[in-house]
């Protein structure tokens, strides 16, 4: 993995800070509870790529009600390690994911094999995730436009973890927008996507009751945060008034969450919270 983190990711008096660090935009963004909306938005957006969704549907436990919650927890855990873990932890997690992807195959209706680790498929999943995070963070008021671009640039390091060549990964919001313009003609709502998204909106029996209901509610809200063209693919209104209303709602949600105490979190996240606060206090 190339070292694009500079001082942020180098071991020093604070220890091994992984790929980012307390002065990165990534740590600040990923610590905000409002980003749960972005995580669901990413799943909804990713589902519009026919090949990616078909291969995922044929291989993923997310579509088995009895296994969906543990599978979701593993995904959240991977994102947390990638963001806040040490370099050794990140490389170990990335290696596991790369090995898994290399073994998984799907098939189109005509019999064409789909490789989950095909660079174009990995790039779609990455870009849909990062676009969701940066869009929700900017609209909620977590970051301004310049910080949003910095976040996208930092995310290139995350793309390398799953095996992507950084040369093909968008490093700005403009490059991200150009990518979606290029790929949009290939996107559509498939039967697999309908079934998968229907599962997101239905409380999962394998999850604790309160969490299951919360995740379903977040998924419902996340539909409104999608780009207008994506909402239309789902058969929903793609109106500018929806965008304005959702932006105001995201800002209100962000302000509300800043008044709440921190939720229990793994040690890496607790450490990141403390270091980000110290970095802010130090200017």
């Amino acid at each position: 993995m190339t070292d694009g983190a500079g001082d942020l990711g180098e071991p020093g008096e604070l220890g091994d800070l992984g790929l980012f660090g307390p002065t990165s935009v990534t740590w600040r963004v990923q610590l905000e509870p409002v980003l749960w909306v972005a995580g669901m938005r990413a799943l909804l957006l990713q589902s519009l790529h026919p090949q990616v969704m078909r291969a995922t549907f044929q291989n993923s436990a997310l579509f088995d009600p009895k296994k969906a919650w543990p599978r979701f927890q593993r995904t959240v855990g991977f994102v947390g390690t990638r963001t806040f873990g040490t370099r050794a932890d990140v490389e170990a997690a990335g290696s596991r994911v790369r090995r898994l992807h290399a073994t998984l195959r799907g098939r189109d209706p005509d019999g064409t094999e789909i490789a989950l680790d095909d660079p174009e498929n990995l790039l779609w999943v990455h870009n849909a995730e990062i676009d969701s995070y940066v869009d929700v963070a900017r609209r909620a008021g977590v970051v301004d436009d310049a910080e949003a671009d910095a976040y996208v640039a930092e995310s290139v390091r995350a793309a390398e973890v799953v095996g992507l060549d950084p040369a093909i990964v968008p490093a700005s919001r403009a490059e991200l927008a150009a990518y979606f313009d290029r790929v949009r003609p290939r996107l559509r709502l498939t039967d697999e996507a309908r079934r998968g998204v229907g599962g997101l909106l239905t409380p999962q029996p394998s999850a604790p009751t309160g969490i299951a209901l919360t995740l379903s509610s977040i998924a419902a809200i996340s539909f409104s945060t999608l780009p207008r063209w994506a909402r239309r693919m789902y058969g929903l209104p793609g109106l500018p008034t929806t965008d304005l209303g959702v932006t105001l709602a995201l800002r209100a949600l962000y302000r509300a969450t800043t008044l709440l105490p921190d939720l229990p979190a793994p040690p890496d996240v607790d450490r990141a919270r403390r270091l980000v606060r110290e970095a802010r206090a130090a200017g």
Side-chain angles (χ1 to χ4, degrees), residues 5-185:
D7 292 340
L8 295 179
E10 294 298 332
E13 63 179 13
L14 297 178
D16 185 340
L17 299 176
L19 299 184
F20 304 104
T23 60
S24 67
V25 182
T26 296
W27 271 24
R28 182 154 57 87
V29 166
Q30 298 298 135
L31 287 171
E32 294 297 343
V34 72
L35 267 292
W36 279 92
V37 175
M40 286 294 181
R41 179 191 188 272
L43 290 174
L44 295 171
L45 190 55
Q46 288 165 352
S47 297
L48 292 174
H49 191 295
Q51 279 203 328
V52 169
M53 191 59 186
R54 188 168 291 122
T56 301
F57 186 84
Q58 292 170 11
N59 287 279
S60 179
L62 279 173
F63 303 102
D64 182 339
K66 295 180 180 179
K67 300 178 181 178
W69 174 242
R71 174 66 178 81
F72 181 77
Q73 287 180 302
R74 289 194 294 273
T75 299
V76 171
F78 170 74
V79 173
T81 298
R82 185 189 68 190
T83 306
F84 303 112
T86 65
R87 283 182 175 266
D89 289 340
V90 172
E91 183 52 43
S95 180
R96 286 193 299 270
V97 168
R98 294 192 299 271
R99 287 197 305 270
L100 177 63
H101 286 170
T103 66
L104 299 179
R105 295 291 185 271
R107 289 199 177 274
D108 277 327
D110 64 2
T112 302
E113 186 176 79
I114 306 168
L116 268 72
D117 60 351
D118 180 276
E120 279 296 320
N121 292 340
L122 291 176
L123 187 61
W124 166 255
V125 172
H126 170 80
N127 286 343
E129 177 190 357
I130 297 307
D131 183 74
S132 295
Y133 285 142
V134 75
D135 181 74
V136 169
R138 189 177 64 83
R139 293 168 69 182
V142 179
V143 294
D144 59 26
D145 287 348
E147 291 167 328
D149 270 326
Y151 177 86
V152 177
E154 290 174 3
S155 76
V156 175
R157 305 167 204 165
E160 290 185 80
V161 174
V162 295
L164 279 167
D165 179 353
I168 70 170
V169 181
S172 68
R173 284 188 301 137
E175 291 180 8
L176 203 52
Y179 168 83
F180 281 104
D181 286 342
R182 174 171 66 84
V183 79
R184 269 177 60 184

Side-chain angles (χ1 to χ4, degrees), residues 209-221:
T209 302
I211 293 176
L213 293 173
T214 299
L215 290 176
S216 296
S217 299
I218 291 173
I221 295 169

Side-chain angles (χ1 to χ4, degrees), residues 206-272:
S206 59
T209 302
I211 293 176
L213 293 173
T214 299
L215 290 176
S216 296
S217 299
I218 291 173
I221 295 169
S222 299
F223 269 111
S224 299
T225 68
L226 288 168
R228 294 177 202 171
W229 54 264
R231 296 202 302 271
R232 293 187 184 110
M233 286 186 183
Y234 276 110
L236 300 171
L239 303 174
T241 51
T242 301
D243 295 329
L244 176 59
V246 171
T247 296
L248 294 174
L250 287 172
R251 289 182 177 270
L253 179 61
Y254 171 53
R255 287 194 296 270
T257 58
T258 62
L259 302 176
L260 298 175
D262 290 335
L263 295 172
D268 283 348
V269 176
D270 281 336
R271 178 175 184 249

